[in-house]
Amino acid sequence: MRGVVFDGERAEVVTDLDVRDPGPGEVLVAVAAAGLCHSDLSVIDGTIPFPSPVVLGHEGAGVVEAVGAGVTHVAPGDHVALSTIANCGACGECGRGRPTMCRGAIGWPGQPFSRGGAPVYQFAASSAFAERTLVKAVQAVKIPDDVPLTSAALIGCAVVTGVGAVLNRARVAAGETVIVIGTGGIGLNVLQGARIAGASVVVAVDANPEKETVARQFGATHFFPSTSAEGVREVLPRGADHAFECVGRVSLVREAVDLLDRHGQAVLLGMPGAAEEASFVVASLFLDKAILGCRYGSSAPQRDFALYARLYGEGRLLLDELVTATYAVEDFGKAVADAEGGRVARGVLTF
């Protein structure tokens, strides 16, 4: 079958990929669509260290093809969005309702794929850039059949990370103020999360002026080319209640902190290099300000994916509008070029 494999030096589309049959508690999914996220590119450029060879992709949706023993919540033919959280369901963190913190789901990549008999790693427990992928049952979240799979794919990363950061981690309340630094796939979903939460002022910041229209479509009330631009302090004279850094540039962490009002929160969503460090004035935190990390929107995927699908059906959550372009998997190179060039909110590979 076809898939995108990174061998440690380059990523290419291959046609000789195999995946094993599902065992107990596993689900085999025929992938229909998969979004290209910058995390995939970060594996290629080394920002995210990962063993190779590996099948890339982690933002997908498709149709259940087969299930292993004990799987009852999905069946062949069901439409599913894929979560990257292969949580065990039995540890203390899972018991506290924090599946994204499950210690059994972090740092243990499996090898359900093979090429020519040699094992191939799975990225982010999902490897959505393959015609078929194998996931734990908890990762296959059933969605309504009327949600287009090209749109549903984005629930599994961009949407859950951005919207989840607003609703679950920051817990933005109605009437509060928000500034979002970076309006790529994650930033746009932070914007719409703030809109859904009822934020009164939602400021989008992006160096690319062509992103203003889509930023406002997703929920921005104001748009500026930088955090220091004239007008930012007029809109937020006391600072923001919540600042979201969605770029992954350490200098912007300092800017996010500096933009906070008293009792404000800076939420870090961008992915800098694994060894990079950020600095800020420690005294600036003494007014009850906080810097928060956030993994996968601090979500509970089986709960949150269903919520996002419902909000989509009600017209309150934008999914179709996130998909700027679709590409046959064979056009992976063009999809990468468009993503790196900032020409798409999200490009989606199809099989």
PDB file of all heavy atoms in Angstrom, residues 222-256:
ATOM      1  N   HIS A 222      -9.676  41.911  15.831  1.00  0.00           N
ATOM      2  CA  HIS A 222      -8.635  42.835  15.396  1.00  0.00           C
ATOM      3  C   HIS A 222      -7.482  42.023  14.815  1.00  0.00           C
ATOM      4  O   HIS A 222      -7.294  40.848  15.163  1.00  0.00           O
ATOM      5  CB  HIS A 222      -8.116  43.686  16.556  1.00  0.00           C
ATOM      6  CG  HIS A 222      -9.173  44.506  17.237  1.00  0.00           C
ATOM      7  ND1 HIS A 222     -10.073  43.946  18.138  1.00  0.00           N
ATOM      8  CD2 HIS A 222      -9.464  45.830  17.155  1.00  0.00           C
ATOM      9  CE1 HIS A 222     -10.883  44.902  18.577  1.00  0.00           C
ATOM     10  NE2 HIS A 222     -10.538  46.045  18.004  1.00  0.00           N
ATOM     11  N   PHE A 223      -6.702  42.663  13.939  1.00  0.00           N
ATOM     12  CA  PHE A 223      -5.559  41.985  13.321  1.00  0.00           C
ATOM     13  C   PHE A 223      -4.394  42.968  13.231  1.00  0.00           C
ATOM     14  O   PHE A 223      -4.566  44.112  12.812  1.00  0.00           O
ATOM     15  CB  PHE A 223      -5.930  41.496  11.911  1.00  0.00           C
ATOM     16  CG  PHE A 223      -4.839  40.708  11.223  1.00  0.00           C
ATOM     17  CD1 PHE A 223      -4.813  39.319  11.290  1.00  0.00           C
ATOM     18  CD2 PHE A 223      -3.841  41.359  10.507  1.00  0.00           C
ATOM     19  CE1 PHE A 223      -3.817  38.588  10.657  1.00  0.00           C
ATOM     20  CE2 PHE A 223      -2.833  40.640   9.877  1.00  0.00           C
ATOM     21  CZ  PHE A 223      -2.819  39.252   9.950  1.00  0.00           C
ATOM     22  N   PHE A 224      -3.187  42.494  13.638  1.00  0.00           N
ATOM     23  CA  PHE A 224      -1.992  43.319  13.587  1.00  0.00           C
ATOM     24  C   PHE A 224      -0.817  42.498  13.064  1.00  0.00           C
ATOM     25  O   PHE A 224      -0.780  41.278  13.242  1.00  0.00           O
ATOM     26  CB  PHE A 224      -1.644  43.870  14.972  1.00  0.00           C
ATOM     27  CG  PHE A 224      -2.694  44.787  15.544  1.00  0.00           C
ATOM     28  CD1 PHE A 224      -3.611  44.325  16.474  1.00  0.00           C
ATOM     29  CD2 PHE A 224      -2.772  46.111  15.137  1.00  0.00           C
ATOM     30  CE1 PHE A 224      -4.580  45.153  16.997  1.00  0.00           C
ATOM     31  CE2 PHE A 224      -3.742  46.959  15.657  1.00  0.00           C
ATOM     32  CZ  PHE A 224      -4.647  46.485  16.590  1.00  0.00           C
ATOM     33  N   PRO A 225       0.174  43.175  12.435  1.00  0.00           N
ATOM     34  CA  PRO A 225       1.318  42.444  11.875  1.00  0.00           C
ATOM     35  C   PRO A 225       2.353  42.037  12.909  1.00  0.00           C
ATOM     36  O   PRO A 225       3.214  41.212  12.625  1.00  0.00           O
ATOM     37  CB  PRO A 225       1.910  43.450  10.877  1.00  0.00           C
ATOM     38  CG  PRO A 225       1.545  44.786  11.441  1.00  0.00           C
ATOM     39  CD  PRO A 225       0.192  44.597  12.048  1.00  0.00           C
ATOM     40  N   SER A 226       2.309  42.607  14.104  1.00  0.00           N
ATOM     41  CA  SER A 226       3.246  42.245  15.165  1.00  0.00           C
ATOM     42  C   SER A 226       2.653  42.638  16.508  1.00  0.00           C
ATOM     43  O   SER A 226       1.717  43.449  16.570  1.00  0.00           O
ATOM     44  CB  SER A 226       4.602  42.938  14.977  1.00  0.00           C
ATOM     45  OG  SER A 226       4.491  44.316  15.254  1.00  0.00           O
ATOM     46  N   THR A 227       3.209  42.085  17.572  1.00  0.00           N
ATOM     47  CA  THR A 227       2.705  42.426  18.908  1.00  0.00           C
ATOM     48  C   THR A 227       3.054  43.851  19.292  1.00  0.00           C
ATOM     49  O   THR A 227       2.420  44.432  20.181  1.00  0.00           O
ATOM     50  CB  THR A 227       3.283  41.467  19.960  1.00  0.00           C
ATOM     51  OG1 THR A 227       4.719  41.536  19.924  1.00  0.00           O
ATOM     52  CG2 THR A 227       2.840  40.035  19.690  1.00  0.00           C
ATOM     53  N   SER A 228       4.053  44.437  18.632  1.00  0.00           N
ATOM     54  CA  SER A 228       4.463  45.803  18.940  1.00  0.00           C
ATOM     55  C   SER A 228       3.831  46.830  18.018  1.00  0.00           C
ATOM     56  O   SER A 228       4.142  48.027  18.099  1.00  0.00           O
ATOM     57  CB  SER A 228       5.994  45.920  18.862  1.00  0.00           C
ATOM     58  OG  SER A 228       6.458  45.586  17.559  1.00  0.00           O
ATOM     59  N   ALA A 229       2.964  46.377  17.129  1.00  0.00           N
ATOM     60  CA  ALA A 229       2.353  47.273  16.152  1.00  0.00           C
ATOM     61  C   ALA A 229       1.510  48.337  16.840  1.00  0.00           C
ATOM     62  O   ALA A 229       0.908  48.108  17.902  1.00  0.00           O
ATOM     63  CB  ALA A 229       1.492  46.485  15.172  1.00  0.00           C
ATOM     64  N   GLU A 230       1.471  49.510  16.217  1.00  0.00           N
ATOM     65  CA  GLU A 230       0.633  50.590  16.729  1.00  0.00           C
ATOM     66  C   GLU A 230      -0.821  50.122  16.746  1.00  0.00           C
ATOM     67  O   GLU A 230      -1.333  49.599  15.772  1.00  0.00           O
ATOM     68  CB  GLU A 230       0.788  51.826  15.838  1.00  0.00           C
ATOM     69  CG  GLU A 230      -0.008  53.033  16.323  1.00  0.00           C
ATOM     70  CD  GLU A 230       0.174  54.242  15.435  1.00  0.00           C
ATOM     71  OE1 GLU A 230       1.041  54.175  14.526  1.00  0.00           O
ATOM     72  OE2 GLU A 230      -0.533  55.236  15.643  1.00  0.00           O
ATOM     73  N   GLY A 231      -1.467  50.294  17.846  1.00  0.00           N
ATOM     74  CA  GLY A 231      -2.862  49.898  17.955  1.00  0.00           C
ATOM     75  C   GLY A 231      -3.089  48.743  18.901  1.00  0.00           C
ATOM     76  O   GLY A 231      -4.183  48.613  19.473  1.00  0.00           O
ATOM     77  N   VAL A 232      -2.090  47.881  19.098  1.00  0.00           N
ATOM     78  CA  VAL A 232      -2.272  46.733  19.980  1.00  0.00           C
ATOM     79  C   VAL A 232      -2.586  47.202  21.396  1.00  0.00           C
ATOM     80  O   VAL A 232      -3.523  46.719  22.046  1.00  0.00           O
ATOM     81  CB  VAL A 232      -1.033  45.817  19.974  1.00  0.00           C
ATOM     82  CG1 VAL A 232      -1.172  44.728  21.033  1.00  0.00           C
ATOM     83  CG2 VAL A 232      -0.844  45.184  18.603  1.00  0.00           C
ATOM     84  N   ARG A 233      -1.805  48.148  21.896  1.00  0.00           N
ATOM     85  CA  ARG A 233      -2.022  48.628  23.262  1.00  0.00           C
ATOM     86  C   ARG A 233      -3.278  49.482  23.377  1.00  0.00           C
ATOM     87  O   ARG A 233      -3.819  49.648  24.467  1.00  0.00           O
ATOM     88  CB  ARG A 233      -0.791  49.419  23.731  1.00  0.00           C
ATOM     89  CG  ARG A 233       0.400  48.529  24.073  1.00  0.00           C
ATOM     90  CD  ARG A 233       0.085  47.601  25.233  1.00  0.00           C
ATOM     91  NE  ARG A 233       1.207  46.727  25.566  1.00  0.00           N
ATOM     92  CZ  ARG A 233       1.169  45.811  26.531  1.00  0.00           C
ATOM     93  NH1 ARG A 233       0.066  45.626  27.235  1.00  0.00           N
ATOM     94  NH2 ARG A 233       2.226  45.066  26.762  1.00  0.00           N
ATOM     95  N   GLU A 234      -3.754  50.020  22.261  1.00  0.00           N
ATOM     96  CA  GLU A 234      -5.024  50.742  22.305  1.00  0.00           C
ATOM     97  C   GLU A 234      -6.181  49.770  22.482  1.00  0.00           C
ATOM     98  O   GLU A 234      -7.143  50.047  23.212  1.00  0.00           O
ATOM     99  CB  GLU A 234      -5.212  51.554  21.026  1.00  0.00           C
ATOM    100  CG  GLU A 234      -4.215  52.701  20.864  1.00  0.00           C
ATOM    101  CD  GLU A 234      -4.435  53.461  19.573  1.00  0.00           C
ATOM    102  OE1 GLU A 234      -5.488  53.248  18.927  1.00  0.00           O
ATOM    103  OE2 GLU A 234      -3.553  54.251  19.199  1.00  0.00           O
ATOM    104  N   VAL A 235      -6.079  48.627  21.814  1.00  0.00           N
ATOM    105  CA  VAL A 235      -7.122  47.612  21.931  1.00  0.00           C
ATOM    106  C   VAL A 235      -7.051  46.903  23.287  1.00  0.00           C
ATOM    107  O   VAL A 235      -8.084  46.570  23.885  1.00  0.00           O
ATOM    108  CB  VAL A 235      -6.990  46.587  20.779  1.00  0.00           C
ATOM    109  CG1 VAL A 235      -8.000  45.456  20.947  1.00  0.00           C
ATOM    110  CG2 VAL A 235      -7.185  47.270  19.438  1.00  0.00           C
ATOM    111  N   LEU A 236      -5.816  46.681  23.753  1.00  0.00           N
ATOM    112  CA  LEU A 236      -5.594  45.993  25.028  1.00  0.00           C
ATOM    113  C   LEU A 236      -4.759  46.892  25.946  1.00  0.00           C
ATOM    114  O   LEU A 236      -3.596  46.620  26.224  1.00  0.00           O
ATOM    115  CB  LEU A 236      -4.868  44.664  24.787  1.00  0.00           C
ATOM    116  CG  LEU A 236      -5.583  43.630  23.917  1.00  0.00           C
ATOM    117  CD1 LEU A 236      -4.632  42.497  23.549  1.00  0.00           C
ATOM    118  CD2 LEU A 236      -6.811  43.078  24.638  1.00  0.00           C
ATOM    119  N   PRO A 237      -5.343  47.981  26.437  1.00  0.00           N
ATOM    120  CA  PRO A 237      -4.554  48.952  27.211  1.00  0.00           C
ATOM    121  C   PRO A 237      -3.959  48.379  28.492  1.00  0.00           C
ATOM    122  O   PRO A 237      -2.905  48.837  28.947  1.00  0.00           O
ATOM    123  CB  PRO A 237      -5.564  50.062  27.508  1.00  0.00           C
ATOM    124  CG  PRO A 237      -6.907  49.414  27.379  1.00  0.00           C
ATOM    125  CD  PRO A 237      -6.745  48.389  26.307  1.00  0.00           C
ATOM    126  N   ARG A 238      -4.602  47.392  29.074  1.00  0.00           N
ATOM    127  CA  ARG A 238      -4.093  46.780  30.298  1.00  0.00           C
ATOM    128  C   ARG A 238      -3.452  45.415  30.034  1.00  0.00           C
ATOM    129  O   ARG A 238      -3.016  44.752  30.965  1.00  0.00           O
ATOM    130  CB  ARG A 238      -5.221  46.622  31.320  1.00  0.00           C
ATOM    131  CG  ARG A 238      -5.810  47.953  31.783  1.00  0.00           C
ATOM    132  CD  ARG A 238      -6.905  47.729  32.795  1.00  0.00           C
ATOM    133  NE  ARG A 238      -7.440  48.996  33.290  1.00  0.00           N
ATOM    134  CZ  ARG A 238      -8.442  49.100  34.156  1.00  0.00           C
ATOM    135  NH1 ARG A 238      -9.033  47.990  34.621  1.00  0.00           N
ATOM    136  NH2 ARG A 238      -8.866  50.278  34.550  1.00  0.00           N
ATOM    137  N   GLY A 239      -3.439  45.022  28.802  1.00  0.00           N
ATOM    138  CA  GLY A 239      -2.949  43.702  28.463  1.00  0.00           C
ATOM    139  C   GLY A 239      -4.096  42.727  28.294  1.00  0.00           C
ATOM    140  O   GLY A 239      -5.262  43.064  28.497  1.00  0.00           O
ATOM    141  N   ALA A 240      -3.767  41.503  27.923  1.00  0.00           N
ATOM    142  CA  ALA A 240      -4.783  40.484  27.654  1.00  0.00           C
ATOM    143  C   ALA A 240      -4.940  39.532  28.831  1.00  0.00           C
ATOM    144  O   ALA A 240      -4.008  39.300  29.597  1.00  0.00           O
ATOM    145  CB  ALA A 240      -4.405  39.691  26.403  1.00  0.00           C
ATOM    146  N   ASP A 241      -6.137  38.975  28.941  1.00  0.00           N
ATOM    147  CA  ASP A 241      -6.354  37.925  29.944  1.00  0.00           C
ATOM    148  C   ASP A 241      -5.646  36.640  29.537  1.00  0.00           C
ATOM    149  O   ASP A 241      -5.183  35.882  30.394  1.00  0.00           O
ATOM    150  CB  ASP A 241      -7.855  37.647  30.103  1.00  0.00           C
ATOM    151  CG  ASP A 241      -8.608  38.833  30.672  1.00  0.00           C
ATOM    152  OD1 ASP A 241      -8.167  39.373  31.704  1.00  0.00           O
ATOM    153  OD2 ASP A 241      -9.622  39.232  30.063  1.00  0.00           O
ATOM    154  N   HIS A 242      -5.546  36.401  28.231  1.00  0.00           N
ATOM    155  CA  HIS A 242      -4.945  35.170  27.720  1.00  0.00           C
ATOM    156  C   HIS A 242      -4.130  35.489  26.467  1.00  0.00           C
ATOM    157  O   HIS A 242      -4.613  36.172  25.561  1.00  0.00           O
ATOM    158  CB  HIS A 242      -6.013  34.132  27.365  1.00  0.00           C
ATOM    159  CG  HIS A 242      -6.984  33.850  28.467  1.00  0.00           C
ATOM    160  ND1 HIS A 242      -6.738  32.933  29.453  1.00  0.00           N
ATOM    161  CD2 HIS A 242      -8.201  34.403  28.730  1.00  0.00           C
ATOM    162  CE1 HIS A 242      -7.766  32.912  30.283  1.00  0.00           C
ATOM    163  NE2 HIS A 242      -8.667  33.785  29.874  1.00  0.00           N
ATOM    164  N   ALA A 243      -2.902  34.997  26.417  1.00  0.00           N
ATOM    165  CA  ALA A 243      -2.062  35.124  25.224  1.00  0.00           C
ATOM    166  C   ALA A 243      -1.643  33.726  24.787  1.00  0.00           C
ATOM    167  O   ALA A 243      -1.157  32.935  25.610  1.00  0.00           O
ATOM    168  CB  ALA A 243      -0.832  35.978  25.515  1.00  0.00           C
ATOM    169  N   PHE A 244      -1.825  33.414  23.520  1.00  0.00           N
ATOM    170  CA  PHE A 244      -1.497  32.099  22.984  1.00  0.00           C
ATOM    171  C   PHE A 244      -0.366  32.237  21.972  1.00  0.00           C
ATOM    172  O   PHE A 244      -0.502  32.953  20.970  1.00  0.00           O
ATOM    173  CB  PHE A 244      -2.716  31.464  22.305  1.00  0.00           C
ATOM    174  CG  PHE A 244      -3.848  31.152  23.240  1.00  0.00           C
ATOM    175  CD1 PHE A 244      -4.764  32.138  23.599  1.00  0.00           C
ATOM    176  CD2 PHE A 244      -4.001  29.878  23.771  1.00  0.00           C
ATOM    177  CE1 PHE A 244      -5.816  31.855  24.467  1.00  0.00           C
ATOM    178  CE2 PHE A 244      -5.046  29.578  24.636  1.00  0.00           C
ATOM    179  CZ  PHE A 244      -5.948  30.577  24.982  1.00  0.00           C
ATOM    180  N   GLU A 245       0.753  31.569  22.221  1.00  0.00           N
ATOM    181  CA  GLU A 245       1.886  31.563  21.290  1.00  0.00           C
ATOM    182  C   GLU A 245       1.756  30.320  20.410  1.00  0.00           C
ATOM    183  O   GLU A 245       1.859  29.198  20.897  1.00  0.00           O
ATOM    184  CB  GLU A 245       3.207  31.558  22.054  1.00  0.00           C
ATOM    185  CG  GLU A 245       4.409  31.997  21.234  1.00  0.00           C
ATOM    186  CD  GLU A 245       4.885  30.971  20.227  1.00  0.00           C
ATOM    187  OE1 GLU A 245       4.814  29.767  20.540  1.00  0.00           O
ATOM    188  OE2 GLU A 245       5.337  31.349  19.134  1.00  0.00           O
ATOM    189  N   CYS A 246       1.523  30.531  19.117  1.00  0.00           N
ATOM    190  CA  CYS A 246       1.218  29.420  18.207  1.00  0.00           C
ATOM    191  C   CYS A 246       2.258  29.271  17.104  1.00  0.00           C
ATOM    192  O   CYS A 246       1.987  28.613  16.095  1.00  0.00           O
ATOM    193  CB  CYS A 246      -0.162  29.624  17.577  1.00  0.00           C
ATOM    194  SG  CYS A 246      -1.492  29.844  18.770  1.00  0.00           S
ATOM    195  N   VAL A 247       3.423  29.866  17.277  1.00  0.00           N
ATOM    196  CA  VAL A 247       4.449  29.844  16.242  1.00  0.00           C
ATOM    197  C   VAL A 247       5.577  28.877  16.590  1.00  0.00           C
ATOM    198  O   VAL A 247       6.091  28.151  15.728  1.00  0.00           O
ATOM    199  CB  VAL A 247       5.016  31.259  16.002  1.00  0.00           C
ATOM    200  CG1 VAL A 247       6.115  31.233  14.942  1.00  0.00           C
ATOM    201  CG2 VAL A 247       3.901  32.216  15.607  1.00  0.00           C
ATOM    202  N   GLY A 248       5.985  28.866  17.873  1.00  0.00           N
ATOM    203  CA  GLY A 248       7.105  28.028  18.272  1.00  0.00           C
ATOM    204  C   GLY A 248       8.423  28.766  18.217  1.00  0.00           C
ATOM    205  O   GLY A 248       9.470  28.155  18.037  1.00  0.00           O
ATOM    206  N   ARG A 249       8.379  30.095  18.386  1.00  0.00           N
ATOM    207  CA  ARG A 249       9.591  30.912  18.386  1.00  0.00           C
ATOM    208  C   ARG A 249       9.799  31.428  19.819  1.00  0.00           C
ATOM    209  O   ARG A 249       8.910  32.067  20.389  1.00  0.00           O
ATOM    210  CB  ARG A 249       9.449  32.069  17.414  1.00  0.00           C
ATOM    211  CG  ARG A 249      10.740  32.846  17.167  1.00  0.00           C
ATOM    212  CD  ARG A 249      10.498  33.932  16.138  1.00  0.00           C
ATOM    213  NE  ARG A 249       9.966  33.373  14.892  1.00  0.00           N
ATOM    214  CZ  ARG A 249       9.244  34.077  14.024  1.00  0.00           C
ATOM    215  NH1 ARG A 249       8.953  35.339  14.276  1.00  0.00           N
ATOM    216  NH2 ARG A 249       8.818  33.510  12.914  1.00  0.00           N
ATOM    217  N   VAL A 250      10.968  31.134  20.395  1.00  0.00           N
ATOM    218  CA  VAL A 250      11.159  31.428  21.813  1.00  0.00           C
ATOM    219  C   VAL A 250      11.072  32.922  22.120  1.00  0.00           C
ATOM    220  O   VAL A 250      10.656  33.311  23.216  1.00  0.00           O
ATOM    221  CB  VAL A 250      12.490  30.846  22.335  1.00  0.00           C
ATOM    222  CG1 VAL A 250      12.444  29.326  22.317  1.00  0.00           C
ATOM    223  CG2 VAL A 250      13.675  31.350  21.514  1.00  0.00           C
ATOM    224  N   SER A 251      11.441  33.779  21.172  1.00  0.00           N
ATOM    225  CA  SER A 251      11.335  35.218  21.413  1.00  0.00           C
ATOM    226  C   SER A 251       9.888  35.640  21.605  1.00  0.00           C
ATOM    227  O   SER A 251       9.585  36.612  22.319  1.00  0.00           O
ATOM    228  CB  SER A 251      11.952  35.999  20.252  1.00  0.00           C
ATOM    229  OG  SER A 251      11.257  35.751  19.037  1.00  0.00           O
ATOM    230  N   LEU A 252       8.974  34.900  20.992  1.00  0.00           N
ATOM    231  CA  LEU A 252       7.558  35.228  21.109  1.00  0.00           C
ATOM    232  C   LEU A 252       6.979  34.797  22.458  1.00  0.00           C
ATOM    233  O   LEU A 252       5.931  35.299  22.863  1.00  0.00           O
ATOM    234  CB  LEU A 252       6.770  34.588  19.967  1.00  0.00           C
ATOM    235  CG  LEU A 252       7.119  35.110  18.570  1.00  0.00           C
ATOM    236  CD1 LEU A 252       6.310  34.365  17.510  1.00  0.00           C
ATOM    237  CD2 LEU A 252       6.872  36.610  18.469  1.00  0.00           C
ATOM    238  N   VAL A 253       7.663  33.882  23.145  1.00  0.00           N
ATOM    239  CA  VAL A 253       7.227  33.514  24.491  1.00  0.00           C
ATOM    240  C   VAL A 253       7.335  34.738  25.397  1.00  0.00           C
ATOM    241  O   VAL A 253       6.421  35.054  26.170  1.00  0.00           O
ATOM    242  CB  VAL A 253       8.068  32.350  25.043  1.00  0.00           C
ATOM    243  CG1 VAL A 253       7.710  32.070  26.501  1.00  0.00           C
ATOM    244  CG2 VAL A 253       7.856  31.095  24.199  1.00  0.00           C
ATOM    245  N   ARG A 254       8.460  35.443  25.315  1.00  0.00           N
ATOM    246  CA  ARG A 254       8.644  36.662  26.088  1.00  0.00           C
ATOM    247  C   ARG A 254       7.563  37.688  25.731  1.00  0.00           C
ATOM    248  O   ARG A 254       6.983  38.345  26.619  1.00  0.00           O
ATOM    249  CB  ARG A 254      10.041  37.231  25.821  1.00  0.00           C
ATOM    250  CG  ARG A 254      10.295  38.636  26.356  1.00  0.00           C
ATOM    251  CD  ARG A 254      10.306  38.669  27.871  1.00  0.00           C
ATOM    252  NE  ARG A 254      10.667  39.996  28.362  1.00  0.00           N
ATOM    253  CZ  ARG A 254      11.917  40.368  28.625  1.00  0.00           C
ATOM    254  NH1 ARG A 254      12.929  39.520  28.443  1.00  0.00           N
ATOM    255  NH2 ARG A 254      12.169  41.569  29.091  1.00  0.00           N
ATOM    256  N   GLU A 255       7.280  37.831  24.450  1.00  0.00           N
ATOM    257  CA  GLU A 255       6.273  38.794  24.033  1.00  0.00           C
ATOM    258  C   GLU A 255       4.892  38.421  24.573  1.00  0.00           C
ATOM    259  O   GLU A 255       4.119  39.291  24.978  1.00  0.00           O
ATOM    260  CB  GLU A 255       6.240  38.895  22.509  1.00  0.00           C
ATOM    261  CG  GLU A 255       7.508  39.501  21.916  1.00  0.00           C
ATOM    262  CD  GLU A 255       7.429  39.689  20.412  1.00  0.00           C
ATOM    263  OE1 GLU A 255       6.309  39.797  19.894  1.00  0.00           O
ATOM    264  OE2 GLU A 255       8.492  39.726  19.766  1.00  0.00           O
ATOM    265  N   ALA A 256       4.580  37.124  24.573  1.00  0.00           N
ATOM    266  CA  ALA A 256       3.286  36.678  25.100  1.00  0.00           C
ATOM    267  C   ALA A 256       3.151  37.038  26.573  1.00  0.00           C
ATOM    268  O   ALA A 256       2.100  37.517  27.024  1.00  0.00           O
ATOM    269  CB  ALA A 256       3.128  35.175  24.897  1.00  0.00           C
TER     270      ALA A 256
END
